[in-house]
Amino acid sequence: MIGAAPVQARRQTSVSAESLLHSTNAGVVVKRTAQLKQAHRAEGRRIALAQAEFVNTKYAGDATVFVFHEAFGRRDRLHWFIHLRSLAGLRVIAALLDGDEGPAAETDWQGMFTDGSIEETALIPQGWGMYGTDEVLPDGTRVADATADLRVPPAQQQTAISPEETINSSNAGLIIHRVAQPRYAFRAEARMFARRITESINTRLPGVASSFLYEEAFGPADRTHWLIHMSSENAYYDLIDMHMRMDGEVRDIYLDEIIAPEKGGGTWSRIFVEGSMGDVACAPLPPLV
């Protein structure tokens, strides 16, 4: 029904809210993508949700898996957001994700997907002080500390907005995964710009849209990832409106001569490799009924 409430990924699982990991409290988010064969689109979605719940129940508090589909792109392409306390956690649950145990083990799980379409990207929350950012930080900026049981500070520490007012992978109606490749000479400036933009979204659209920055653990050096969480598809219009009507503070971020004169000077437009920025929109699969 048009105007119906958006699906939220946390409805996919019966695990308690206290045991859920998500994009703002996890130490690492592994994004897995795979292309379902059209003949298996219904069964594949059903098994993906059942297998994720099997993992969530067995490893409650240590791993949480949510299943999304590509909302405005390739049909029948699934996206798993795998939330862990550390990278080592993926090794523990890898066999379950591959269907060696649980509901998927009784099906032709591997045969439901196009060969060679399964990809994984490990995303680690970005923290001040990482990868040269200490060179461009304003005086007095606090470098975040890792929490007791996480290897790096979770993404929630990137914002001054409270967890109750931020959107994450468990309660978002739509997630935009944005990727861009900074030029190596401007790697620190790219992170500074990206963090300033994300916080401008968080502070202006609390409860509507929340953006967080992540580092790619194993891939091209310095490739930057944003997860932009929105309460619903229609929240995208709030994001557009914010940038169309940008106030002085947001305008200053885009016009700031963030590149030092000794590097040739310039605004954010010089920071990224041309043509490297792209978005993928993902929506949670409806829970099993």
Side-chain angles (χ1 to χ4, degrees):
M1 182 179 69
I2 293 177
V7 173
Q8 295 182 339
R10 63 186 175 191
R11 292 175 52 201
Q12 295 176 0
T13 181
S14 59
V15 175
S16 68
E18 293 74 19
S19 297
L20 287 184
L21 293 175
H22 49 69
S23 54
T24 63
N25 69 1
V28 60
V29 179
V30 177
K31 181 131 177 301
R32 170 181 282 201
T33 63
Q35 182 67 46
L36 276 171
K37 295 177 181 177
Q38 188 171 3
H40 299 291
R41 62 192 314 265
E43 184 185 13
R45 284 168 164 77
R46 180 180 65 82
I47 297 300
L49 287 169
Q51 192 70 12
E53 176 64 343
F54 181 77
V55 175
N56 294 342
T57 302
K58 184 167 184 175
Y59 291 100
D62 292 314
T64 302
V65 181
F66 295 131
V67 188
F68 287 65
H69 67 98
E70 201 157 309
F72 305 103
R74 283 166 289 186
R75 293 289 301 275
D76 303 323
R77 190 164 183 83
L78 297 187
H79 297 256
W80 290 259
F81 286 82
I82 305 160
H83 309 86
L84 305 163
R85 295 192 175 277
S86 70
L87 285 167
L90 184 63
R91 183 173 64 251
V92 175
I93 67 170
L96 300 188
L97 293 172
D98 291 337
D100 294 348
E101 181 184 345
E106 305 301 321
T107 70
D108 181 24
W109 179 240
Q110 301 296 337
M112 294 182 191
F113 297 94
T114 302
D115 289 340
S117 69
I118 299 176
E119 299 178 357
E120 289 182 342
T121 305
L123 306 177
I124 297 175
Q126 199 276 332
W128 288 137
M130 296 171 68
Y131 302 107
T133 51
D134 54 340
E135 300 173 5
V136 296
L137 289 177
D139 292 340
T141 302
R142 178 180 177 272
V143 176
D145 299 318
T147 58
D149 57 350
L150 293 173
R151 302 301 184 189
V152 297
Q156 185 66 46
Q157 291 192 22
Q158 295 178 10
T159 181
I161 303 300
S162 69
E164 293 73 26
E165 292 185 289
T166 53
I167 310 295
N168 58 57
S169 57
S170 74
N171 61 11
L174 188 75
I175 297 178
I176 294 178
H177 180 194
R178 176 168 292 173
V179 182
Q181 181 64 51
R183 299 181 188 277
Y184 184 80
F186 306 135
R187 61 205 297 253
E189 290 85 351
R191 290 170 171 87
M192 170 66 74
F193 169 77
R195 284 286 297 273
R196 291 174 67 186
I197 287 298
T198 59
E199 187 65 346
S200 73
I201 293 171
N202 297 336
T203 56
R204 285 160 180 79
L205 297 173
V208 176
S210 301
S211 180
F212 298 93
L213 188 66
Y214 300 80
E215 305 279 356
E216 185 170 334
F218 308 105
D222 302 313
R223 187 156 64 180
T224 301
H225 296 257
W226 292 261
L227 294 181
I228 306 171
H229 312 78
M230 288 174 281
S231 57
S232 69
E233 291 94 337
N234 283 340
Y236 187 63
Y237 293 108
D238 294 286
L239 200 62
I240 292 174
D241 186 68
M242 172 191 148
H243 286 98
M244 287 181 64
R245 304 174 186 273
M246 62 173 63
D247 58 32
E249 186 176 346
V250 174
R251 185 178 296 106
D252 288 344
I253 296 174
Y254 285 100
L255 298 181
D256 183 22
E257 292 280 330
I258 193 171
I259 301 174
E262 56 268 27
K263 291 185 177 182
T267 66
W268 75 277
S269 62
R270 290 189 59 210
I271 289 175
F272 297 99
V273 175
E274 291 185 8
S276 70
M277 188 174 290
D279 293 345
V280 175
C282 304
L285 281 185
L288 294 172
V289 294

